[in-house]
């Protein structure tokens, strides 16, 4: 393996004035590129390796907006705040958990910096549900810590808070499905983890 981009968000978030985008799918990328080109200032956008899926076209009325988070699905028991490919995984896990009568909301945050703190606070405040931040990044310095910081600064306390990200370690190399299972961010394992956190 040549490299793994599992700590890039942490490094990029520390650069003043840098906008950071972590798109979910081909629709996000297609809509983000012209907005990035029109944006005044530097932008870092993560891209997926391999065949890029198309997921968000199934969400009625969805469109990418630089700097904005979007609630893709509502649910009373859990709120998953996610970015990148983990938004796709969160939607899949939410559909699976619905068969067990577990309502999972999904808030997609394709812009990591500046973070849409208003949307996050609105989604968490006054709702008694577990908050899970899901990201394809180290749990150090990524979306999870950004969300936790925002909630603390706005004095918003969720019913529970968990990070579903990559461990603070040098990771194995291999096929993505194998790695996602191993590190707890595949559809099946993410669903199992969410169910376990609700107990």
């Amino acid at each position: 393996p040549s490299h793994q981009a599992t700590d890039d968000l942490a490094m990029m978030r520390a650069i003043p004035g840098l906008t950071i985008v972590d798109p979910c799918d081909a629709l996000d990328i297609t809509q983000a590129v012209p907005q990035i080109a029109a944006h005044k200032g530097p932008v870092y956008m993560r891209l997926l390796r391999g065949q890029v899926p198309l997921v968000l076209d199934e969400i009625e009325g969805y469109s990418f907006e630089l700097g904005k988070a979007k609630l893709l699905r509502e649910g009373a028991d859990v709120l998953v705040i996610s970015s990148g490919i983990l938004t796709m995984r969160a939607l899949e896990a939410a559909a699976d958990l619905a068969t067990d009568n577990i309502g999972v909301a999904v808030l997609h945050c394709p812009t990591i910096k500046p973070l849409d703190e208003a949307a996050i606070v609105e989604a968490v405040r006054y709702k008694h549900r577990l908050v899970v931040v899901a990201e394809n990044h180290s749990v150090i310095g990524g979306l999870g810590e950004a969300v936790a910081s925002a909630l603390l600064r706005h004095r918003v306390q969720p019913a529970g808070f968990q990070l579903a990200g990559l461990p603070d370690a040098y990771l194995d190399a291999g096929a993505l499905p194998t790695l996602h299972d191993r590190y707890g961010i595949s559809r099946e394992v993410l669903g199992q983890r969410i169910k376990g956190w609700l107990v």
Side-chain angles (χ1 to χ4, degrees):
S2 61
H3 64 279
Q4 291 177 317
T6 58
D7 49 13
D8 56 326
L9 297 180
M11 292 185 287
M12 295 298 179
R13 282 180 63 223
I15 298 174
L18 181 65
T19 295
I20 302 171
V21 178
D22 188 14
C24 167
D25 70 346
L27 178 63
D28 253 359
I29 294 168
T30 300
Q31 294 184 355
V33 168
Q35 294 181 43
I36 288 170
H39 179 72
K40 303 299 182 192
V43 179
Y44 172 73
M45 181 166 72
R46 285 181 127 197
L47 290 175
L48 306 170
R49 68 166 155 146
Q51 186 173 351
V52 178
L54 186 58
V55 178
L56 298 176
D57 62 324
E58 297 178 9
I59 307 295
E60 186 177 346
Y62 177 81
S63 63
F64 174 90
E65 288 182 74
L66 194 61
K68 296 294 182 184
K70 299 290 178 86
L71 189 66
L72 306 181
R73 179 186 176 110
E74 191 50 270
D77 302 307
V78 182
L79 170 67
V80 177
I81 301 172
S82 57
S83 69
I85 196 171
L86 262 292
T87 291
M88 179 176 72
R89 294 283 174 255
L91 289 168
E92 292 169 343
D96 294 343
L97 291 170
T99 63
D100 291 328
N101 294 317
I102 298 172
V104 179
V106 177
L107 181 67
H108 176 44
C109 293
T111 306
I112 306 296
K113 183 183 176 183
L115 190 63
D116 189 352
E117 295 188 4
I120 291 168
V121 167
E122 175 67 24
V124 175
R125 182 174 272 157
Y126 309 126
K127 294 186 172 103
H128 188 77
R129 57 188 176 186
L130 170 69
V131 172
V132 175
V133 182
E135 60 183 322
N136 184 25
H137 185 272
S138 168
V139 293
I140 306 298
L143 178 63
E145 289 191 352
V147 169
S149 172
L151 293 178
L152 278 170
R153 282 185 283 102
H154 289 276
R155 299 183 181 189
V156 175
Q157 174 125 16
F161 186 89
Q162 294 288 344
L163 298 179
L166 303 173
D168 180 26
Y170 293 108
L171 307 182
D172 295 334
L176 287 181
T178 302
L179 296 177
H180 289 176
D181 266 340
R182 182 167 299 172
Y183 295 116
I185 58 173
S186 67
R187 174 181 188 158
E188 295 78 10
V189 182
L190 179 61
Q192 292 166 9
R193 294 176 78 189
I194 291 172
K195 191 184 287 190
W197 287 326
L198 282 169
V199 175

